[in-house]
Amino acid sequence: MAVNNCLKYLRSWSFLGVFIVLNLHAAAQDSLVTDVPDTLPVIPTTGLEPLQVAPSFNGHSINKVPLKYLERQPYISVQQMLKGNAAGVYVQESSGEPGTEQNIFVRGISSPLLSKRELFDQQPVVFVNGIPVIQDNPFIYEIQKYDFNREGPATNLLASLNPDDIESIEVIKDPVTLASLGSMAANGAIWVITKNARSGERKININSYFGYAAKPDVFATNAVRENQFRQTFYNRYGTVEDRLNYPPYLRDSTNRDYYGPADWTNLYYDNVPLYNVDASLSGGSDRANFRFMGGLTKNANPADKTSFTRYNGSFFINVAPIKWLMVSSMLGYTRQERDRNRNIRDRLAEQRYIPDLTNPLTPNSSLYGSYLSQFDNAFDKNTNNLVRGYIAIAAKPFEKFTYAGRLGFDYNEGIRDVFWPTTLLEGNNFVSNYFGYNQRLVITNSVAYDFNVGSSGTLTLKGGQNFVSDVYKYDYAYANNTPNDFTKINVVTGDPNKADYLIPRGILVNYFPGKMSSKLVSFFGNAVYTYNEVLKLNAVVSREGSSNMQPDNRWFTNYSAGAEWNLKKSLLADAQQLSSFLVTASWGHMGKLLSDDRFNAGPAYRVDMGFTNEPTFGSYAGLGGLSRPYTSGWVGYGIPWAYTNQLNAGIRLGLIEDRVQVGLDVYKKSDKDMLLPVPVALEWGYTGAYKSGLAVNNTGVDLSVTADLFPAAKHQFSWRFTGNLNYNKNKLAALPDGLRTVTIGATKLEIGKPVDGFWLLTNDGIYNTDAEVPVNPSTNQPVTYKGVALKAGDPRWRDINGDYVINDDDKTIQGNYLPKISGGFGSNFTYHNFSLDFQCYFALGRKVLNQYASSRLDFINTEANNNINSVKEITFWEEKQDLTGYPVYNPWSSVVPYRMDQDLFLDNASYLKLRSVSIGYDLSKGGTRTTFDRCLIYLTGTNLLTLSPFKGDDPELANYNGIYNGYGLPLPRSLIVGLKLDF
């Protein structure tokens, strides 16, 4: 099905593109020579292109990613290219497993991240050649018990873009520019332009590299070290009964399975190859030109044999049949394949079955290798196919009139097939299949007319429409207890004429289909007034309608305005060292889209009749049925559009002929009327009721600096420095129903506090004796924790309200899991044919909650609970952190001294990283005899150094909500050798 769909799209669009090119080329041959323009008309990036309110220096915006420093790096995703390279952008890469999902936040978050579902509503929209890229929708989380991974391949769809095929990446943050893109850009926009066809001589470009990701240095342990660690607690607090219940795998010190050599690391970690081959061919004339590109990329992590493979192909054809008309087309295809990790936790989360987790995997290589051999009888295939294309027309039949139109589409599908044999799950095997697709159709049209206003003014009026149609679909089924480990598909009856033909025999099958469609339509008007290149005024008004909104609130009006004043030309023309100085200010009011259609109809019924902790089953006692949405939350009527008000003021400063360029922006972003699942009385049966009224403010500063300290044109030695910095602070401004505080699970929201804070007890040490425990003078009873008296060996938790009872009332909101300051800096040095690049990035003022340390110290409860958090991966036998610095509490205490909700485990996770260093030699420079326009040989190392006070292995490897659990695969240190040829 997947291949057929992709071939259908490729055939239809390829035929259409060739048909148009042939006919337009024939028309061009028949036209007069005088119709041939000196250069082709500007190829439109979209029918609703962003308005360049923010000025630029030498044609380069300060918000553009310096791709020159990234062209030699083995990065595979847009997120990795953005990381540390654009002010106001923070990227989460919580695992080094290649091809996994990564998060982008532009100028903070607008609502608390209560689950992974909320992440999808926080991401900026990504435009590729003017087409808003469609990505996976979070509505599949409704059928999942855990949100560790999204069902399906869960592959990063923004890894489909080949970095060598990208011309520019720009982060759009200005309110007026965002308003021109509509409500889908309320969280910011990433504007990606790929390399297009060019007129002139035929050009061939080749980029290739090969290298290795090196296995990390780890400290492997066995039961000897774990036993020594635990004996500290047993010697101080353990009773005879506790010793009799000592874990079996630690009890016998002669058991070589656990007390033998810890030589498992060579089976889990290994040096793995990385490689890439890209080639493109472009050429043509001023009348018609083309570009074809193809590529193959293999990226891998040295841990657990994880890898990501990408196949790319695309072509562009541009034709100008007459002087004032340009027709352009593009078609691109990408195939992604991912070899996932073999984590026990991820496997059990999909199987929804928890076996006996008493004994962990053995650190002995022979036994661990025997376990790994069972995966030879299993498979876990993950594939994505992506097709993207457009046909665009740009016409300028009159000097002051322009038209731009575009028909574009974006389609991707994900396929995952899984089989795990009985030997991996206590005699019960498992099979699952997922097929899902996302498709988007985009139609845009716009017209513009220029008016002269007096002798020095110009007024441009523009209007148009934008239509976006989306469809999200998935089919997911899983089954346990298939006939045997040799039959890896569902067995059905052999007679297709029977009614039960498709019903599997003797297998419990769970089938989950899902489909959602949405439409977004908008009409816009834009006015730009320019006076003598000194003053520019810009205003945008648009009216948008979304099918995801309720019928009485389908439409919303966006409006924004901005001004740009050139102080250099108007007041400081005589300032010799000041080459440019502009002041900008803009404000915008924009609607925020809902990603889910479940809010558009008010109260609804759901297939939601499962038993406790299994809410996804759609039957009760074997009978299908419907119920109210008790586990997903009540949705009522009268839900309005959420919206954002954004204010931005900035300066653009150029010194010494623009050799030094500085951009500074101060902003305030206020997101209002957002939905929040407010808790309700238990008698209602609902987990919460969705109500509007949530408001969050983000304020901050963006700073960007580019300096050509030694310009290449004037010196044999050149040095270019680039740096950026963002300071951001968020604050909860309002809650629904006028509430001042609300508690949702382990999260507390309080007016005036950050929404990314942790709700924790304050730890002041340990009670060494019972006499140290404070006594309530009115009752003569010691301080209690939720009714349990504290005693020697318990934590000294701070009694905030002084009532001699430690409970949730004594918790406070502390820290923040998004950094207060983030950014990056780097330099490019050249000397004759040699070049040297390096890039660093940093995140400061960031905290994480150390669940890894909490679980290891709370070994009594972790092992007794036997739930998904009790899983011990093979990396259990790896010391990720020295735990000797924590107080020695009594782990058998009923108050659970090592519970995670205390600031004992709140760690400073600020960091500074040397992300890459690259050395190159260009054989085609400096008079070197060569047949190539460019022949660059380079050597690049990545992830070379991390400076951080964090107690764990890597401060980046924390979940989206700031929880560090030690599951993330390490960000690999790699070394590659590459060659770039242009001829």
Side-chain angles (χ1 to χ4, degrees):
M1 183 184 298
V3 175
N4 289 338
N5 282 340
C6 288
L7 290 176
K8 178 181 70 175
Y9 273 88
L10 283 170
R11 283 196 297 265
S12 60
W13 281 87
S14 298
F15 175 79
L16 184 58
V18 172
F19 176 79
I20 290 174
V21 169
L22 291 177
N23 281 275
L24 291 175
H25 183 68
Q29 296 296 325
D30 294 337
S31 61
L32 296 176
V33 176
T34 54
D35 288 339
V36 179
D38 294 332
T39 58
L40 289 173
V42 176
I43 301 171
T45 53
T46 179
L48 191 62
E49 67 269 26
L51 310 171
Q52 295 299 329
V53 175
S56 60
F57 294 104
N58 301 326
H60 297 286
S61 167
I62 64 166
N63 293 317
K64 282 190 176 180
V65 174
L67 293 180
K68 181 178 177 59
Y69 304 150
L70 302 178
E71 63 178 1
R72 308 176 190 175
Q73 317 301 332
Y75 301 146
I76 60 172
S77 70
V78 171
Q79 293 96 329
Q80 290 175 329
M81 289 183 277
L82 287 171
K83 188 193 291 188
N85 285 301
V89 178
Y90 175 65
V91 174
Q92 285 182 336
E93 191 172 3
S94 57
S95 176
E97 183 174 349
T100 51
E101 296 170 327
Q102 299 160 351
N103 305 312
I104 307 173
F105 302 106
V106 176
R107 289 181 169 178
I109 57 175
S110 59
S111 64
L113 302 179
L114 303 175
S115 68
K116 265 195 172 180
R117 189 183 188 113
E118 280 76 25
L119 276 173
F120 290 75
D121 295 323
Q122 303 284 337
Q123 302 302 294
V125 61
V126 178
F127 287 85
V128 177
N129 297 323
I131 300 174
V133 173
I134 188 171
Q135 301 193 59
D136 287 327
N137 192 283
F139 75 129
I140 197 172
Y141 282 116
E142 294 179 5
I143 68 168
Q144 295 188 214
K145 184 176 179 180
Y146 307 102
D147 70 352
F148 301 139
N149 299 293
R150 187 184 183 276
E151 292 292 4
T155 303
N156 183 359
L157 297 181
L158 292 183
S160 63
L161 298 173
N162 190 325
D164 197 53
D165 199 36
I166 295 177
E167 182 75 27
S168 66
I169 302 178
E170 183 174 357
V171 180
I172 300 177
K173 300 170 290 185
D174 180 79
V176 177
T177 312
L178 293 175
S180 70
L181 297 174
S183 54
M184 65 172 55
N187 294 321
I190 311 299
W191 194 259
V192 181
I193 300 296
T194 62
K195 296 174 182 177
N196 206 322
R198 297 183 185 278
S199 61
E201 297 181 358
R202 184 189 64 188
K203 294 292 184 182
I204 298 176
N205 307 97
I206 297 174
N207 176 35
S208 177
Y209 65 74
F210 181 85
Y212 279 90
K215 61 181 181 181
D217 296 326
V218 300
F219 184 77
T221 65
N222 63 4
V224 173
R225 192 169 184 87
E226 182 66 19
N227 182 60
Q228 292 173 345
F229 166 70
R230 297 194 183 197
Q231 285 304 312
T232 302
F233 300 91
Y234 278 86
N235 292 336
R236 185 166 182 177
Y237 301 108
T239 65
V240 174
E241 183 179 0
D242 296 330
R243 293 185 179 277
L244 291 175
N245 292 325
Y246 203 62
Y249 71 95
L250 295 175
R251 187 176 298 163
D252 183 5
S253 61
T254 64
N255 184 352
R256 288 183 56 81
D257 292 352
Y258 291 99
Y259 282 87
D263 50 1
W264 59 273
T265 56
N266 289 333
L267 297 177
Y268 186 79
Y269 295 108
D270 195 11
N271 298 323
V272 290
L274 316 173
Y275 54 83
N276 176 82
V277 178
D278 298 325
S280 65
L281 172 66
S282 61
S285 66
D286 289 340
R287 305 299 302 277
N289 52 47
F290 67 92
R291 181 176 189 269
F292 295 90
M293 179 269 175
L296 166 63
T297 301
K298 176 67 175 290
N299 195 276
N301 191 287
D304 209 13
K305 297 188 181 301
T306 53
S307 65
F308 171 84
T309 305
R310 178 182 59 217
Y311 306 88
N312 281 94
S314 64
F315 71 85
F316 294 78
I317 299 178
N318 304 311
V319 178
I322 52 181
K323 183 176 182 179
W324 50 268
L325 178 65
M326 162 65 73
V327 179
S328 59
S329 64
M330 182 275 283
L331 180 64
Y333 170 75
T334 301
R335 180 180 177 86
Q336 298 179 153
E337 298 174 352
R338 185 160 79 92
D339 291 329
R340 299 169 74 121
N341 68 68
R342 293 170 290 186
N343 282 357
I344 300 173
R345 185 198 67 166
D346 292 356
R347 180 157 46 85
L348 297 182
E350 182 171 7
Q351 295 177 169
R352 312 179 193 209
Y353 171 75
I354 306 297
D356 183 5
L357 298 172
T358 302
N359 293 331
L361 294 171
T362 171
N364 181 279
S365 63
S366 61
L367 292 175
Y368 178 56
S370 177
Y371 163 78
L372 292 179
S373 68
Q374 302 307 310
F375 285 93
D376 296 337
N377 301 319
F379 58 76
D380 188 350
K381 300 178 180 178
N382 300 266
T383 305
N384 292 84
N385 295 294
L386 304 96
V387 184
R388 183 179 299 122
Y390 66 79
I391 293 179
I393 297 176
K396 195 170 184 178
F398 312 109
E399 180 181 358
K400 297 183 179 182
F401 175 82
T402 58
Y403 163 80
R406 176 181 295 264
L407 172 65
F409 77 94
D410 188 19
Y411 172 85
N412 62 72
E413 62 185 23
I415 307 163
R416 187 183 187 202
D417 290 311
V418 172
F419 177 82
W420 291 309
T422 56
T423 50
L424 289 174
L425 189 63
E426 295 185 335
N428 187 16
N429 57 21
F430 177 87
V431 60
S432 74
N433 174 264
Y434 173 94
F435 174 79
Y437 67 82
N438 313 306
Q439 65 181 35
R440 172 169 287 172
L441 176 68
V442 180
I443 302 174
T444 62
N445 291 278
S446 65
V447 294
Y449 195 87
D450 297 330
F451 298 90
N452 293 326
V453 181
S455 59
S456 302
T458 302
L459 176 65
T460 300
L461 297 181
K462 185 176 182 179
Q465 60 79 219
N466 187 26
F467 173 77
V468 179
S469 175
D470 294 339
V471 177
Y472 304 92
K473 178 75 168 68
Y474 69 81
D475 288 285
Y476 174 67
Y478 73 88
N480 295 285
N481 193 28
T482 62
N484 54 63
D485 286 348
F486 302 100
T487 305
K488 297 179 173 63
I489 59 174
N490 293 337
V491 179
V492 299
T493 59
D495 188 353
N497 297 317
K498 292 184 178 181
D500 60 351
Y501 167 58
L502 293 178
I503 299 178
R505 286 181 172 178
I507 308 171
L508 177 61
V509 177
N510 299 278
Y511 173 57
F512 303 92
K515 185 175 182 180
M516 185 176 70
S517 60
S518 64
K519 304 290 189 295
L520 176 68
V521 62
S522 64
F523 303 92
F524 76 97
N526 171 227
V528 180
Y529 173 74
T530 304
Y531 176 73
N532 200 29
E533 297 184 356
V534 172
L535 179 66
K536 179 187 287 185
L537 304 177
N538 202 329
V540 176
V541 177
S542 65
R543 182 74 169 166
E544 289 188 292
S546 171
S547 64
N548 280 352
M549 298 304 300
Q550 294 186 350
D552 55 346
N553 284 298
R554 286 273 194 248
W555 293 87
F556 189 87
T557 302
N558 306 310
Y559 45 87
S560 63
E564 174 188 312
W565 182 19
N566 192 326
L567 289 177
K568 166 64 178 177
K569 289 189 175 182
S570 60
L571 300 178
L572 303 172
D574 296 331
Q576 297 298 321
Q577 297 299 316
L578 187 65
S579 49
S580 56
F581 187 15
L582 299 99
V583 177
T584 67
S586 56
W587 180 86
H589 174 78
M590 299 171 55
K592 294 172 65 73
L593 292 174
L594 294 173
S595 61
D596 200 324
D597 66 354
R598 64 184 172 136
F599 300 103
N600 67 0
Y605 286 92
R606 290 170 44 87
V607 180
D608 190 5
M609 302 186 68
F611 49 86
T612 304
N613 291 328
E614 281 293 354
T616 58
F617 288 118
S619 64
Y620 178 74
L623 300 175
L626 297 173
S627 68
R628 286 295 191 182
Y630 294 112
T631 60
S632 60
W634 170 265
V635 175
Y637 295 114
I639 295 177
W641 278 68
Y643 63 92
T644 176
N645 292 332
Q646 300 189 30
L647 175 65
N648 191 94
I651 62 171
R652 305 293 182 265
L653 186 66
L655 302 172
I656 318 174
E657 299 179 350
D658 280 347
R659 284 171 51 187
V660 178
Q661 304 164 15
V662 180
L664 178 67
D665 288 296
V666 179
Y667 63 86
K668 179 177 182 180
K669 184 174 68 169
S670 299
D671 296 88
K672 301 182 179 181
D673 269 356
M674 295 178 292
L675 290 175
L676 185 72
V678 179
V680 296
L682 294 177
E683 291 79 5
W684 289 22
Y686 294 92
T687 55
Y690 281 91
K691 299 182 178 181
S692 63
L694 175 68
V696 176
N697 294 336
N698 279 271
T699 56
V701 177
D702 287 344
L703 174 65
S704 298
V705 177
T706 300
D708 286 310
L709 301 176
F710 293 90
K714 297 182 179 180
H715 302 84
Q716 292 180 339
F717 170 78
S718 69
W719 176 15
R720 164 169 276 209
F721 171 84
T722 61
N724 67 84
L725 178 146
N726 167 260
Y727 169 80
N728 186 83
K729 181 179 181 180
N730 71 69
K731 181 175 67 174
L732 181 64
L735 287 167
D737 296 337
L739 296 172
R740 299 294 300 174
T741 63
V742 65
T743 302
I744 303 174
T747 300
K748 183 173 184 179
L749 302 174
E750 183 177 337
I751 300 295
K753 300 290 186 179
V755 296
D756 62 336
F758 302 94
W759 189 39
L760 307 172
L761 295 168
T762 301
N763 188 300
D764 290 330
I766 184 173
Y767 293 117
N768 294 296
T769 64
D770 291 345
E772 294 181 4
V773 181
V775 175
N776 187 342
S778 61
T779 63
N780 291 321
Q781 297 296 316
V783 171
T784 62
Y785 174 76
K786 295 185 176 180
V788 178
L790 296 175
K791 54 186 178 181
D794 285 338
R796 191 188 294 264
W797 288 317
R798 188 176 302 175
D799 185 8
I800 299 294
N801 57 9
D803 62 356
Y804 293 90
V805 176
I806 305 298
N807 54 25
D808 290 348
D809 294 336
D810 297 298
K811 289 183 177 180
T812 57
I813 298 175
Q814 305 179 42
N816 44 274
Y817 51 80
L818 292 182
K820 293 181 178 178
I821 300 175
S822 63
F825 59 91
S827 287
N828 168 249
F829 303 92
T830 62
Y831 181 71
H832 293 294
N833 297 42
F834 290 95
S835 62
L836 171 65
D837 301 339
F838 76 85
Q839 187 217 1
C840 299
Y841 74 108
F842 55 85
L844 308 177
R846 170 176 172 262
K847 303 284 188 177
V848 299
L849 204 55
N850 197 330
Q851 185 185 52
Y852 171 82
S854 171
S855 298
R856 294 301 294 262
L857 291 164
D858 191 28
F859 53 86
I860 296 297
N861 294 294
T862 299
E863 294 178 347
N865 290 334
N866 203 69
N867 57 28
I868 195 71
N869 294 318
S870 303
V871 173
K872 298 181 181 67
E873 306 291 348
I874 189 63
T875 52
F876 175 80
W877 302 111
E878 174 184 331
E879 188 171 288
K880 294 177 179 288
Q881 177 182 343
D882 183 3
L883 301 174
T884 57
Y886 289 94
V888 181
Y889 295 131
N890 180 3
W892 292 273
S893 173
S894 299
V895 303
V896 190
Y898 291 109
R899 60 178 56 254
M900 191 172 64
D901 58 340
Q902 56 180 315
D903 65 358
L904 178 70
F905 298 111
L906 187 64
D907 289 349
N908 183 353
S910 300
Y911 59 83
L912 168 65
K913 292 197 171 188
L914 176 59
R915 195 173 182 214
S916 66
V917 174
S918 181
I919 301 173
Y921 184 83
D922 194 340
L923 294 173
S924 60
K925 291 179 63 176
T928 305
R929 297 176 62 87
T930 177
T931 59
F932 302 106
D933 296 331
R934 188 187 190 196
C935 182
L936 174 67
I937 301 173
Y938 61 90
L939 177 70
T940 299
T942 62
N943 291 318
L944 301 176
L945 177 66
T946 299
L947 301 176
S948 175
F950 181 58
K951 300 175 182 177
D953 55 352
D954 190 326
E956 273 200 273
L957 302 181
N959 291 341
Y960 66 95
N961 55 1
I963 305 298
Y964 170 78
N965 53 28
Y967 277 97
L969 269 63
L971 299 176
R973 182 180 292 113
S974 66
L975 182 67
I976 62 171
V977 177
L979 173 67
K980 283 182 174 290
L981 294 176
D982 299 335
F983 58 94

